[in-house]
Amino acid sequence: MATRKSITEEVQTLGALLRAPFEAMLRYNYTGLANEGFGDIRLAHGAVFRNISREGSRLTELAERARMTKQSMAELVDYLRKRGYVELSPDPNDGRAKLVRLTDRGASVVEALIRISRRYERSCARAIGEDKWLQFRGLLAEVGGTMREVAEREQAPAAKRRAPDGSRGTARATA
């Protein structure tokens, strides 16, 4: 049975055009990761591995970077902690807070994902030609930066219009 295209794929929205190669890369990377002995790592765990800093990150930072709830991130971190990929340690800057840090095993996952991803890029470059691949990467970096700037610039006025309680509309002083 043929898979039907989504509406966004049909009309080729920018999101659909960006999503297709990203999802292909994810399938390649996580299949490769399983083949290297990390079969218990799922796509969802990428939210931790993509967003954690070398020094460790607070759970709230990870959740914010991944654009997910703190509770959802806590579940991912707990899964990875139980399997030895991350550990929790006191934050040296705030005794009340904990940092999520990669263990050696977790660092091995990140190294494997980077290595697998680079292998995938080399295969793609061979498939479309090295020059086109380098041009694609350069344009992607440039366009990505521009898109972030445009989004920040155009969303800033809306954020300024929020009331102190976070709701939309003008903030009114109360007597």
Side-chain angles (χ1 to χ4, degrees):
M1 181 174 158
T3 304
R4 296 179 188 170
K5 286 185 176 183
S6 71
I7 295 168
T8 59
E9 290 169 323
E10 236 176 65
V11 298
Q12 292 192 329
T13 63
L14 181 60
L17 292 172
L18 291 169
R19 194 170 38 257
F22 181 66
E23 289 177 351
M25 181 196 66
L26 289 175
R27 278 192 303 278
Y28 184 94
N29 288 353
Y30 282 85
T31 298
L33 197 60
N35 291 339
E36 290 200 20
F38 299 106
D40 57 340
I41 299 297
R42 301 285 178 255
L43 185 59
H45 301 125
V48 176
F49 292 115
R50 270 192 311 276
N51 292 297
I52 197 166
S53 72
R54 291 185 190 279
E55 307 80 35
S57 301
R58 290 184 184 182
L59 188 67
T60 52
E61 292 171 323
L62 288 171
E64 186 177 301
R65 287 180 189 159
R67 294 183 176 97
M68 63 192 313
T69 66
K70 185 178 170 185
Q71 292 78 12
S72 295
M73 181 56 74
E75 287 183 34
L76 295 174
V77 166
D78 191 52
Y79 176 95
L80 294 171
R81 185 189 56 75
K82 287 177 180 175
R83 285 158 183 81
Y85 293 105
V86 299
E87 62 188 6
L88 298 177
S89 61
D91 184 337
N93 299 320
D94 183 349
R96 300 167 297 162
K98 298 242 185 249
L99 290 179
V100 179
R101 296 180 191 264
L102 293 173
T103 62
D104 289 344
R105 187 173 186 202
S108 295
V109 169
V110 173
E111 290 166 10
L113 282 168
I114 292 168
R115 185 175 58 255
I116 294 163
S117 184
R118 288 186 175 148
R119 184 171 62 226
Y120 183 63
E121 282 199 49
R122 286 191 302 271
S123 295
C124 290
R126 281 193 300 274
I128 69 167
E130 189 72 29
D131 289 343
K132 276 187 179 179
W133 185 256
L134 291 174
Q135 183 181 21
F136 168 72
R137 279 188 119 266
L139 284 170
L140 193 57
E142 182 181 343
V143 168
T146 300
M147 290 175 72
R148 279 189 296 277
E149 289 171 11
V150 168
E152 288 171 8
R153 182 175 58 245
E154 293 188 7
Q155 290 173 345
K160 288 179 185 174
R161 290 191 304 267
R162 292 186 188 274
D165 66 358
S167 63
R168 288 207 169 261
T170 57
R172 297 183 195 271
T174 56

